[in-house]
Amino acid sequence: GAPQAAVASPASPTLHTFPAATMGGVKVNSGVTQTRPPGSYTAVTVINGGTLILTAGDYFFQSLIINSASTVRATPTTRVFVRDSLVFKAPVRAPSGTALQSIFLGFSGTTLALAAPFNGSVVAPSANIMFGTSGWLTYSGSFFGRILELKPVSTLVCN
């Protein structure tokens, strides 16, 4: 047969350089709601039962922990960048707190486990991205990583 033509892939997206942290660590305790402005943070943890509200703009975290029984709300123009470690055990919700919110998530680490539904774009050029840990989880959007691994009974819907 005829020789196969080479297929050129577009360049993978890259991440911004992380600015120096100008805001310290934040811990959102159970029963507490905190709204944080865009900026560069050290460690941020949302404890089970806590609610973190992110407004429009770019957020840079050295580490971000979103525990399973916590709530994170964001706008469609919220972009989240995490440098070192990310624990993602609860979905990002719309400002009303009900529907999933589509956001941009950038991660510069090497291992990312998404253990909650996600909607939006994930750019993690150096990471092994694991979708799902248990249960019937759905991930919708565009995903860029070194390795994409879909766990059983999870659904990946790529746009």
Side-chain angles (χ1 to χ4, degrees):
Q4 297 289 326
V7 175
S9 297
S12 293
T14 56
L15 295 175
H16 293 294
T17 302
F18 279 78
T22 55
M23 302 185 191
V26 175
K27 188 175 188 179
V28 182
N29 291 312
S30 180
V32 173
T33 297
Q34 287 190 31
T35 300
R36 290 291 171 172
S40 185
Y41 294 82
T42 56
V44 173
T45 301
V46 187
I47 301 295
N48 294 348
T51 299
L52 175 63
I53 299 173
L54 304 176
T55 59
D58 291 350
Y59 290 81
F60 296 88
F61 302 103
Q62 291 177 3
S63 70
L64 175 61
I65 298 172
I66 303 171
N67 284 307
S68 58
S70 62
T71 301
V72 176
R73 296 181 187 165
T75 72
T77 56
T78 300
R79 297 192 318 164
V80 174
F81 299 89
V82 182
R83 190 183 75 190
D84 300 325
S85 65
L86 172 61
V87 174
F88 189 88
K89 294 184 177 180
V92 176
R93 304 250 175 224
S96 65
T98 54
L100 287 182
Q101 180 62 64
S102 179
I103 66 160
F104 176 91
L105 176 61
F107 179 64
S108 66
T110 57
T111 303
L112 173 56
L114 296 174
F118 180 85
N119 185 16
S121 296
V122 175
V123 175
S126 301
N128 176 12
I129 306 172
M130 293 169 282
F131 298 90
T133 53
S134 64
W136 303 88
L137 302 177
T138 299
Y139 302 89
S140 300
S142 56
F143 305 96
F144 302 91
R146 189 174 60 79
I147 296 171
L148 304 181
E149 180 181 346
L150 184 63
K151 297 293 185 178
V153 302
S154 291
T155 303
L156 187 64
V157 179
C158 296
N159 300 332

